[in-house]
Amino acid sequence: MGKWKSILFIALAGLHISHLSAVSPDQTNLGILISENKENLNFINVCLSNLAPPQEDDPAAAIPPAPGALPVEPKKNLDSEYFRMIQSANQTDFSGNLWYLQSNYAFAFRQLRGAQGELKDIFEKVLIKYIEDTKTLLETAAPSIIRSDDEIAKSLLRFGFRDLRVGEDHLTIGQNSSPHQFRYKLKLFGEGISTLRRAKRFAILAMVYSKTPIDEKSEYQYRSLDDIKEAKSEEKRRAYDKTREALIYLIDNKKLDRMVKFPNSPETRQLDLLEQHDDNYWIITAKRLDLLHEANFQIKETEGAKRESIPSVPRFDETGKPIYDPKLPPIKDK
């Protein structure tokens, strides 16, 4: 009997310890949502930063400062739709994180879920813009390549159109899925953006290859066995650097136009090949601001005011039902 009592005591003690160390399901789910929102913000930041208009040179900042004076900081132009979008989503996500730290999971979920919805809308708008840009690059490159006998350039162009169709399919599937499936839509739109970046890389490579003289193409150059051994031993240059150097060479020698625009679509914006190349490799291109960094900086500047604008933890009435701040929309009962 004593043996069974000991076993029962150990089992109950284990259950008690397990209960004390258990994590709230709400806390776990919100932790996942916080992580996903952060990842999505970082993902879309490069897209929005490159889509935003470039910063203009500030003449006042170019003047050397007087002795002992601090240099003049250049003015930042943040008056763009793309900055307002990421600023709003970032602020909503920040408020949700603040509620989460206060262990108020009801308010935290509402804010974090709201940020997820805003990000879903941003991803969709960016995907539509990328589809337009990809079409412009591919259809601009197509006429000269199709009329040529360059099979490699044609293959690159074919791969680009294939990825364009995949990106369009991701947009269609996401738009026709349930309106409340934010996570599913974000995954589809994010995969579509990545696929279209690859399509744009194929388009630029097809342009470069079709404009490269035959005697400069690697398959037409004679290589000895020693050359092949040396090439294997040398560190390979990044694909980004090699393509960028080729683009600059062709542009400087007037064999390729830096700015491209599909002639039959006057509403289509002009595309800078070098800027598109940077974006394809997740690089914020020249004269562009890191919009998420600027949004974070604004939150830090107004942190005290944001805390005041966030409602206090709700009180409870006699029945145990929470009394929420009337400034916020009511939370529907489950």
Side-chain angles (χ1 to χ4, degrees), residues 43-97:
F43 176 92
I44 207 65
N45 176 46
V46 178
C47 306
L48 295 177
S49 298
N50 285 333
L51 287 171
Q55 297 295 303
E56 297 180 358
D57 295 331
D58 187 1
I63 301 175
L70 295 175
V72 178
E73 291 289 335
K75 294 181 179 180
K76 298 177 181 179
N77 180 19
L78 297 174
D79 185 21
S80 71
E81 176 191 6
Y82 302 108
F83 178 70
R84 288 190 290 271
M85 287 192 295
I86 198 169
Q87 184 187 33
S88 176
N90 192 48
Q91 179 62 64
T92 308
D93 180 71
F94 170 78
S95 300
N97 276 267

